[in-house]
Amino acid sequence: MYKDKPYYYTGSYRRRKIWQRKRFWGILVFFIFGLYWFGVFSGEQQGKTKKIPFFKGGKWQWKAGEVINWDERREKVKEAFVLSWNGYEKHAWGTRSHLNLSCFLCPNSQCIRTLGYDIWHPVSKTKMQMAPEGLGWIIIDALDTLMLMNLTIQLSHARQWVSQSLNWEQDQNVNTFETTIRMMGGLLSAHYLQKELNIKAEDDNNDLYIEKATDLAERLLGAFNTKSGVPYASVNLKTTAGVPSHADDGASSTAEAATLQLELKYLAKLTGEADYWRKAERAIQAIDNNGAKDGLVPIFIYATTGEFRGQEIRLGSRGDSYYGMFLFGYYVIFNTRLTSLPKSIYSSNICKRMAKNPTTWTCTMKP
């Protein structure tokens, strides 16, 4: 290299200080602009004026003097929900006649059962069921939202469907986890909000949601009838028999097996049925009996033996909600004495680390 070359010559790039590099200033400017873009310096509050970015005509524009009205934004969200719900009601809320002798002797609305399709594609307007008569996944999943948004007309229609058409007596295998958190959870949420928001039942049956949830729970408990206490991945609603996973050598997802605490324990509290409580805690105890190091567990577990399958560990799918459940358990279940399990189960190293800094904790898979 020639000695008369200046210090900032390309060949001397490594000797330059970091603040003397264009890349440093470029990244710094980009970072500050990003903070400004996302409103870090704006101190955004209700009713405060600021410039709002919006996309129009193929480019970003700035609208000065815009007043942020959170109530208006909330209504926009509500309008979007209503638009979606109305489309479902119009196109996916079909009917099917159930004619029998009683229908001819005393015709009434009970002879018609509304289907409430489980899957609805709004663009193609196609629909399908996940069970012979449908289970109303979309309807039950939306009950609490209808209540929170005070959509009384839509709620009345949905409640009528739950009362007259929801039927668990179907020869259909369903996922234990999804059915618990969405169907039972949806019904329990509706029961809770109905009381908290003082929503009067049109038929004076304030126990409708809890009755349907209890009927479903009795069927789901069949999945827990295993030697280990770990539930099977699926269960048949009619026979109440547990069904091993059709994949993963029949093993259950660790996250799914563990994340049934909230619904079953809340139902136990409402009904006084301790069996729901025991089933939930037995599953957690079975997982803990494996003595996982630092609370990190493989993502699959055999319901038959209670032993882990493989050694793959991850905080993503198949493992995520397992750790979330322990955070919930540590702060809520144990501290409110909603458990008979030792505190050590809820306060493992992984829980303590995640509790301190849940956004940066990562897991390295080890064989």
Side-chain angles (χ1 to χ4, degrees), residues 1 16 48 70 74 85 89 101 107-108 116 118 178 194 198 219 221 243 246 250 262 277 284 313 322-323 346 350 367:
M1 183 63 64
R16 294 165 58 189
K48 187 170 182 178
W70 292 110
R74 181 181 64 183
W85 181 264
E89 274 193 316
L101 181 60
N108 55 59
D118 298 321
E178 293 292 347
Q194 178 180 255
N198 196 27
R219 301 169 189 274
L221 284 187
V243 181
H246 63 277
L262 178 60
W277 191 291
I284 293 298
I313 296 172
Y322 168 82
Y323 303 103
Y346 292 102
I350 180 66

Side-chain angles (χ1 to χ4, degrees), residues 120-177:
W120 159 242
H121 300 283
V123 177
S124 62
K125 292 184 173 54
T126 56
K127 50 191 179 288
M128 62 181 296
Q129 298 287 29
M130 297 175 66
E133 297 182 13
L135 295 170
W137 286 85
I138 296 176
I139 298 173
I140 295 176
D141 227 357
L143 286 171
D144 52 357
T145 302
L146 293 169
M147 292 180 178
L148 291 172
M149 291 186 172
N150 196 29
L151 298 172
T152 56
I153 297 177
Q154 293 86 343
L155 175 61
S156 178
H157 190 191
R159 190 183 190 284
Q160 184 182 41
W161 184 91
V162 172
S163 176
Q164 299 180 3
S165 299
L166 178 57
N167 177 29
W168 301 125
E169 189 68 14
Q170 300 187 56
D171 188 10
Q172 179 67 43
N173 294 343
V174 296
N175 180 273
T176 306
F177 169 72

Side-chain angles (χ1 to χ4, degrees), residues 328-339 341-343 346:
F328 164 77
Y330 185 77
Y331 287 114
V332 180
I333 295 178
F334 184 84
N335 290 332
T336 54
R337 298 183 180 181
L338 295 179
T339 182
L341 298 177
K343 187 175 183 179
Y346 292 102

Side-chain angles (χ1 to χ4, degrees), residues 247-282:
D248 308 309
D249 198 26
S252 298
S253 163
T254 305
E256 293 184 2
T259 318
L260 307 172
Q261 301 284 299
L262 178 60
E263 294 81 8
L264 287 173
K265 289 187 175 182
Y266 184 49
L267 183 61
K269 178 181 179 181
L270 293 174
T271 63
E273 295 292 336
D275 196 34
Y276 303 141
W277 191 291
R278 285 193 291 265
K279 295 290 187 183
E281 299 228 318
R282 187 165 177 243

